[in-house]
Each structure stands twice: as structure tokens, then as C-alpha cells.
Amino acid sequence: MTSEDSAQTLQAYPVWDATTRWFHWINVLSVLLLSGIGVVILNAGTLGVSGDGKVLLKTIHAWTGYVFALNLCWRIVWGFFGGHYARWSAVLPVGGTWFRELKLYLRGLWSGNEPHYRGHNPLGRLMIAALFLLLGTQMVTGLVLAGTDLYMPPFGHEFAEWATGAGEDHSKLVGLKPGQKELLDPEGYAAMREFRAPFINFHKWSFFALMGFIPLHIAAVVFTDIRERSGLISAMFTGSKFFARKPRD
């Protein structure tokens, strides 16, 4: 914020609707819990977690993942029907003007007089796109793994049939429990695990990438809030930002 701006009266600009704010904080809590449990699962051997303990951790992980997935799916839908600043056209780096706005923003950032934006600035849109891509990858791969590892919805029944060689003979599924191999068909189980391999790899690597992008996102938000003094952080609680100059958007 320039000295000229500080001498002017700040005006409140509503930007984030209640749905967007609820999504954000439910997502934060879900990702924190999923990440903590995920790290323990990844290091279960080193930490001395038993087989039953690992199944329990995976089950809690999966149920938390359902909350995460439902919240993310609702945000995806809201991006088409929500308020102006919640829509994908205002969130993602798309549209004919985005690249022009990015160049303008970078020039202003370099000169110390960057333009202000009511919604995400052009650099912020790149970060949001990366985060949603990683979150979406976590959701899709996680739902598959809930089926392969725990026989939980939405694909668990099909994976159970595959692993046991049951086909439509559902009597072979009676008593089937995660982590127990007595009822499994060796060939079917091996084929199912081979199918699982790329999903667990994508799940792990997108998790590691997400753990890198989240601190970068937080640092960028803090940096921008300090420079603009627009209430960027508090806006995710109150829904409003404050500017002395009219934002470009």
C-alpha cells in the first residue's frame, strides 16, 4: 500500500461468499487430519504399528477422506453456480485477459505498485489451479485405494469380487476383512494389486507435492496481505477485503 493509499479511506468489498469460506476451512481441517494420518501410515513399519492398527488408521483416513471428497465436489459444483468470485472464470488462470493481467501484475510487483484485485490476483490463480489439481488427484486416487485396501465405497465391492475371484457369487465375500488373506484368490488378488500400483504412486507423489505447495501458498498469502493491507487473511473469515483504491476486478 502506498502512502497515498494510506491517507485515503478504506472501503470494504465483499468477495468470498459463505459457501467458499466454509469449503476453505473444512478443506484445511480435512487436509491436516488426512496428512497427519497419512504420514503415520507411510511410516507404520518404523513406528511399530501393527497390522490391525494400520487397518484402523486407513479406515479413519478413508472416512476423513469422504468428508474431504464431498467438500471438494461441492466446491467444484459451486464454481459453476456460485457468486462471481467463486466461479471458475474468476478463480482459475483462464480467459483471454488473464495473461495480460499477469504481465501487468508482475510489472507492478516489480515496481512496488502492483494493482489490487478483489478476487485472486493473476499469480494467485496459478497457485489455486495447482492446488485444485493436486486435491483432485488426492480425491480420485484415495477413493480407489479405499476400495483396494479396505473394500469401502464407491468401488470396494467390485475390488472385493476381483480379489476373491467371487464374480457374482457373493457368498465368497462373507467374512472378508481388510488385511486378511484367507478368502483371497491369489491370481485375482495379485491382478488387483497390480492395478492398484499406479494409484498408490500418484497418491503418494501428489501428497508430497501438496505438502510443498501448501507452505508456498501460505507464504504468498501472508506476503500479499502485508504488502496490500487489504485484510486478505481475515477475508476468509469475514468475506470482505478492504481497499483504498478500487480493485481492477
Side-chain angles (χ1 to χ4, degrees):
M1 180 182 293
T2 65
S3 58
E4 181 182 349
D5 290 339
S6 62
Q8 300 177 21
T9 303
L10 293 175
Q11 181 176 343
Y13 290 85
V15 54
W16 307 129
D17 55 43
T19 295
T20 301
R21 302 198 307 274
W22 273 106
F23 158 76
H24 180 272
W25 293 115
I26 293 173
N27 188 65
V28 168
L29 293 175
S30 298
V31 169
L32 281 173
L33 185 55
L34 287 167
S35 300
I37 298 172
V39 168
V40 175
I41 292 172
L42 282 173
N43 297 279
T46 304
L47 296 173
V49 178
S50 66
D52 289 342
K54 190 172 181 180
V55 170
L56 176 60
L57 286 171
K58 285 187 175 183
T59 302
I60 298 172
H61 191 74
W63 281 110
T64 307
Y66 289 142
V67 175
F68 163 78
L70 286 172
N71 189 51
L72 182 58
C73 286
W74 173 239
R75 180 62 184 90
I76 291 171
V77 172
W78 193 244
F80 296 101
F81 300 102
H84 173 76
Y85 296 99
R87 297 203 174 201
W88 296 122
S89 58
V91 171
L92 299 179
V94 295
T97 63
W98 173 78
F99 189 67
R100 184 170 67 250
E101 290 292 329
L102 176 63
K103 292 192 292 185
L104 179 68
Y105 183 76
L106 290 175
R107 285 199 299 267
L109 196 62
W110 181 259
S111 66
N113 190 32
E114 67 273 16
H116 295 167
Y117 293 84
R118 194 167 168 180
H120 295 292
N121 66 51
L123 273 181
R125 290 191 185 196
L126 282 174
M127 175 60 74
I128 295 302
L131 288 173
F132 270 109
L133 178 62
L134 292 170
L135 291 171
T137 301
Q138 285 285 290
M139 178 182 71
V140 172
T141 55
L143 289 173
V144 172
L145 294 171
T148 61
D149 293 21
L150 301 168
Y151 312 123
M152 292 176 67
F155 310 114
H157 184 75
E158 288 71 21
F159 285 124
E161 290 180 339
W162 190 0
T164 58
E168 294 305 313
D169 183 5
H170 294 167
S171 65
K172 294 184 177 181
L173 303 180
V174 177
L176 179 65
K177 296 180 180 179
Q180 297 182 358
K181 299 185 178 181
E182 291 82 359
L183 300 178
L184 300 178
D185 172 65
E187 290 186 5
Y189 181 70
M192 188 266 282
R193 297 290 289 187
E194 184 178 356
F195 173 84
R196 172 187 183 271
F199 288 94
I200 188 63
N201 287 332
F202 271 108
H203 198 66
K204 286 180 181 178
W205 288 109
S206 59
F207 167 70
F208 294 143
L210 191 61
M211 292 302 98
F213 273 91
I214 287 175
L216 186 60
H217 169 61
I218 294 172
V221 168
V222 172
F223 172 80
T224 303
D225 202 9
I226 291 173
R227 284 183 64 89
E228 292 184 353
R229 300 185 184 276
S230 61
L232 175 60
I233 296 173
S234 63
M236 200 48 75
F237 294 96
T238 65
S240 297
K241 291 184 182 180
F242 299 86
F243 298 102
R245 292 177 291 165
K246 184 176 180 181
R248 281 187 60 81
D249 58 342

PDB file of all heavy atoms in Angstrom, residues 168-183:
ATOM      1  N   GLU A 168     -20.059 -63.097  -9.348  1.00  0.00           N
ATOM      2  CA  GLU A 168     -21.387 -62.802  -8.798  1.00  0.00           C
ATOM      3  C   GLU A 168     -21.750 -63.729  -7.641  1.00  0.00           C
ATOM      4  O   GLU A 168     -22.860 -63.659  -7.122  1.00  0.00           O
ATOM      5  CB  GLU A 168     -22.429 -62.889  -9.911  1.00  0.00           C
ATOM      6  CG  GLU A 168     -22.272 -61.828 -10.993  1.00  0.00           C
ATOM      7  CD  GLU A 168     -22.261 -60.418 -10.424  1.00  0.00           C
ATOM      8  OE1 GLU A 168     -23.135 -60.105  -9.592  1.00  0.00           O
ATOM      9  OE2 GLU A 168     -21.377 -59.627 -10.815  1.00  0.00           O
ATOM     10  N   ASP A 169     -20.832 -64.612  -7.257  1.00  0.00           N
ATOM     11  CA  ASP A 169     -21.078 -65.497  -6.115  1.00  0.00           C
ATOM     12  C   ASP A 169     -20.699 -64.761  -4.834  1.00  0.00           C
ATOM     13  O   ASP A 169     -19.589 -64.894  -4.313  1.00  0.00           O
ATOM     14  CB  ASP A 169     -20.263 -66.788  -6.267  1.00  0.00           C
ATOM     15  CG  ASP A 169     -20.531 -67.773  -5.136  1.00  0.00           C
ATOM     16  OD1 ASP A 169     -21.424 -67.484  -4.304  1.00  0.00           O
ATOM     17  OD2 ASP A 169     -19.836 -68.806  -5.074  1.00  0.00           O
ATOM     18  N   HIS A 170     -21.623 -63.976  -4.320  1.00  0.00           N
ATOM     19  CA  HIS A 170     -21.332 -63.100  -3.191  1.00  0.00           C
ATOM     20  C   HIS A 170     -21.135 -63.857  -1.885  1.00  0.00           C
ATOM     21  O   HIS A 170     -20.713 -63.263  -0.883  1.00  0.00           O
ATOM     22  CB  HIS A 170     -22.439 -62.054  -3.038  1.00  0.00           C
ATOM     23  CG  HIS A 170     -22.481 -61.106  -4.196  1.00  0.00           C
ATOM     24  ND1 HIS A 170     -23.533 -60.237  -4.421  1.00  0.00           N
ATOM     25  CD2 HIS A 170     -21.603 -60.904  -5.212  1.00  0.00           C
ATOM     26  CE1 HIS A 170     -23.297 -59.530  -5.521  1.00  0.00           C
ATOM     27  NE2 HIS A 170     -22.139 -59.909  -6.020  1.00  0.00           N
ATOM     28  N   SER A 171     -21.441 -65.154  -1.882  1.00  0.00           N
ATOM     29  CA  SER A 171     -21.199 -65.938  -0.673  1.00  0.00           C
ATOM     30  C   SER A 171     -19.709 -66.003  -0.351  1.00  0.00           C
ATOM     31  O   SER A 171     -19.329 -66.187   0.808  1.00  0.00           O
ATOM     32  CB  SER A 171     -21.756 -67.353  -0.837  1.00  0.00           C
ATOM     33  OG  SER A 171     -21.063 -68.062  -1.864  1.00  0.00           O
ATOM     34  N   LYS A 172     -18.865 -65.823  -1.386  1.00  0.00           N
ATOM     35  CA  LYS A 172     -17.424 -65.857  -1.171  1.00  0.00           C
ATOM     36  C   LYS A 172     -16.912 -64.589  -0.482  1.00  0.00           C
ATOM     37  O   LYS A 172     -15.756 -64.544  -0.060  1.00  0.00           O
ATOM     38  CB  LYS A 172     -16.690 -66.048  -2.501  1.00  0.00           C
ATOM     39  CG  LYS A 172     -16.925 -67.400  -3.165  1.00  0.00           C
ATOM     40  CD  LYS A 172     -16.090 -67.537  -4.420  1.00  0.00           C
ATOM     41  CE  LYS A 172     -16.263 -68.904  -5.060  1.00  0.00           C
ATOM     42  NZ  LYS A 172     -15.429 -69.051  -6.286  1.00  0.00           N
ATOM     43  N   LEU A 173     -17.770 -63.592  -0.392  1.00  0.00           N
ATOM     44  CA  LEU A 173     -17.372 -62.331   0.248  1.00  0.00           C
ATOM     45  C   LEU A 173     -17.682 -62.313   1.740  1.00  0.00           C
ATOM     46  O   LEU A 173     -17.236 -61.410   2.449  1.00  0.00           O
ATOM     47  CB  LEU A 173     -18.072 -61.148  -0.434  1.00  0.00           C
ATOM     48  CG  LEU A 173     -17.841 -60.984  -1.947  1.00  0.00           C
ATOM     49  CD1 LEU A 173     -18.596 -59.766  -2.462  1.00  0.00           C
ATOM     50  CD2 LEU A 173     -16.365 -60.877  -2.260  1.00  0.00           C
ATOM     51  N   VAL A 174     -18.470 -63.296   2.191  1.00  0.00           N
ATOM     52  CA  VAL A 174     -18.858 -63.335   3.596  1.00  0.00           C
ATOM     53  C   VAL A 174     -17.614 -63.552   4.466  1.00  0.00           C
ATOM     54  O   VAL A 174     -16.848 -64.501   4.261  1.00  0.00           O
ATOM     55  CB  VAL A 174     -19.877 -64.460   3.854  1.00  0.00           C
ATOM     56  CG1 VAL A 174     -20.205 -64.539   5.350  1.00  0.00           C
ATOM     57  CG2 VAL A 174     -21.146 -64.237   3.042  1.00  0.00           C
ATOM     58  N   GLY A 175     -17.420 -62.669   5.410  1.00  0.00           N
ATOM     59  CA  GLY A 175     -16.274 -62.769   6.308  1.00  0.00           C
ATOM     60  C   GLY A 175     -15.012 -62.123   5.805  1.00  0.00           C
ATOM     61  O   GLY A 175     -13.980 -62.141   6.496  1.00  0.00           O
ATOM     62  N   LEU A 176     -15.069 -61.537   4.596  1.00  0.00           N
ATOM     63  CA  LEU A 176     -13.876 -60.876   4.051  1.00  0.00           C
ATOM     64  C   LEU A 176     -13.594 -59.593   4.828  1.00  0.00           C
ATOM     65  O   LEU A 176     -14.457 -58.743   4.983  1.00  0.00           O
ATOM     66  CB  LEU A 176     -14.090 -60.542   2.571  1.00  0.00           C
ATOM     67  CG  LEU A 176     -12.933 -59.815   1.863  1.00  0.00           C
ATOM     68  CD1 LEU A 176     -11.690 -60.712   1.810  1.00  0.00           C
ATOM     69  CD2 LEU A 176     -13.343 -59.383   0.444  1.00  0.00           C
ATOM     70  N   LYS A 177     -12.378 -59.460   5.326  1.00  0.00           N
ATOM     71  CA  LYS A 177     -11.978 -58.282   6.092  1.00  0.00           C
ATOM     72  C   LYS A 177     -10.668 -57.730   5.541  1.00  0.00           C
ATOM     73  O   LYS A 177      -9.821 -58.498   5.067  1.00  0.00           O
ATOM     74  CB  LYS A 177     -11.799 -58.630   7.569  1.00  0.00           C
ATOM     75  CG  LYS A 177     -13.076 -59.076   8.266  1.00  0.00           C
ATOM     76  CD  LYS A 177     -12.810 -59.393   9.731  1.00  0.00           C
ATOM     77  CE  LYS A 177     -14.090 -59.839  10.432  1.00  0.00           C
ATOM     78  NZ  LYS A 177     -13.845 -60.166  11.870  1.00  0.00           N
ATOM     79  N   PRO A 178     -10.493 -56.408   5.606  1.00  0.00           N
ATOM     80  CA  PRO A 178      -9.224 -55.808   5.146  1.00  0.00           C
ATOM     81  C   PRO A 178      -8.040 -56.369   5.920  1.00  0.00           C
ATOM     82  O   PRO A 178      -8.112 -56.550   7.137  1.00  0.00           O
ATOM     83  CB  PRO A 178      -9.421 -54.312   5.437  1.00  0.00           C
ATOM     84  CG  PRO A 178     -10.895 -54.119   5.508  1.00  0.00           C
ATOM     85  CD  PRO A 178     -11.456 -55.391   6.056  1.00  0.00           C
ATOM     86  N   GLY A 179      -6.971 -56.663   5.210  1.00  0.00           N
ATOM     87  CA  GLY A 179      -5.756 -57.149   5.853  1.00  0.00           C
ATOM     88  C   GLY A 179      -5.700 -58.646   6.037  1.00  0.00           C
ATOM     89  O   GLY A 179      -4.637 -59.180   6.387  1.00  0.00           O
ATOM     90  N   GLN A 180      -6.817 -59.342   5.824  1.00  0.00           N
ATOM     91  CA  GLN A 180      -6.842 -60.796   5.956  1.00  0.00           C
ATOM     92  C   GLN A 180      -6.870 -61.441   4.575  1.00  0.00           C
ATOM     93  O   GLN A 180      -7.640 -61.013   3.716  1.00  0.00           O
ATOM     94  CB  GLN A 180      -8.054 -61.239   6.773  1.00  0.00           C
ATOM     95  CG  GLN A 180      -8.032 -60.734   8.205  1.00  0.00           C
ATOM     96  CD  GLN A 180      -9.223 -61.218   9.013  1.00  0.00           C
ATOM     97  OE1 GLN A 180     -10.097 -61.913   8.502  1.00  0.00           O
ATOM     98  NE2 GLN A 180      -9.253 -60.848  10.289  1.00  0.00           N
ATOM     99  N   LYS A 181      -6.048 -62.456   4.360  1.00  0.00           N
ATOM    100  CA  LYS A 181      -5.866 -63.013   3.020  1.00  0.00           C
ATOM    101  C   LYS A 181      -6.427 -64.433   2.853  1.00  0.00           C
ATOM    102  O   LYS A 181      -6.284 -65.036   1.802  1.00  0.00           O
ATOM    103  CB  LYS A 181      -4.381 -63.012   2.655  1.00  0.00           C
ATOM    104  CG  LYS A 181      -3.774 -61.613   2.636  1.00  0.00           C
ATOM    105  CD  LYS A 181      -2.328 -61.625   2.164  1.00  0.00           C
ATOM    106  CE  LYS A 181      -1.757 -60.209   2.110  1.00  0.00           C
ATOM    107  NZ  LYS A 181      -0.348 -60.180   1.637  1.00  0.00           N
ATOM    108  N   GLU A 182      -7.093 -64.949   3.897  1.00  0.00           N
ATOM    109  CA  GLU A 182      -7.570 -66.331   3.835  1.00  0.00           C
ATOM    110  C   GLU A 182      -8.584 -66.552   2.717  1.00  0.00           C
ATOM    111  O   GLU A 182      -8.623 -67.619   2.095  1.00  0.00           O
ATOM    112  CB  GLU A 182      -8.198 -66.739   5.179  1.00  0.00           C
ATOM    113  CG  GLU A 182      -7.205 -66.862   6.327  1.00  0.00           C
ATOM    114  CD  GLU A 182      -6.886 -65.516   6.966  1.00  0.00           C
ATOM    115  OE1 GLU A 182      -7.431 -64.491   6.485  1.00  0.00           O
ATOM    116  OE2 GLU A 182      -6.105 -65.467   7.938  1.00  0.00           O
ATOM    117  N   LEU A 183      -9.449 -65.554   2.450  1.00  0.00           N
ATOM    118  CA  LEU A 183     -10.512 -65.714   1.470  1.00  0.00           C
ATOM    119  C   LEU A 183     -10.128 -65.211   0.085  1.00  0.00           C
ATOM    120  O   LEU A 183     -10.956 -65.224  -0.832  1.00  0.00           O
ATOM    121  CB  LEU A 183     -11.772 -64.976   1.944  1.00  0.00           C
ATOM    122  CG  LEU A 183     -12.361 -65.424   3.283  1.00  0.00           C
ATOM    123  CD1 LEU A 183     -13.577 -64.586   3.648  1.00  0.00           C
ATOM    124  CD2 LEU A 183     -12.741 -66.900   3.228  1.00  0.00           C
TER     125      LEU A 183
END
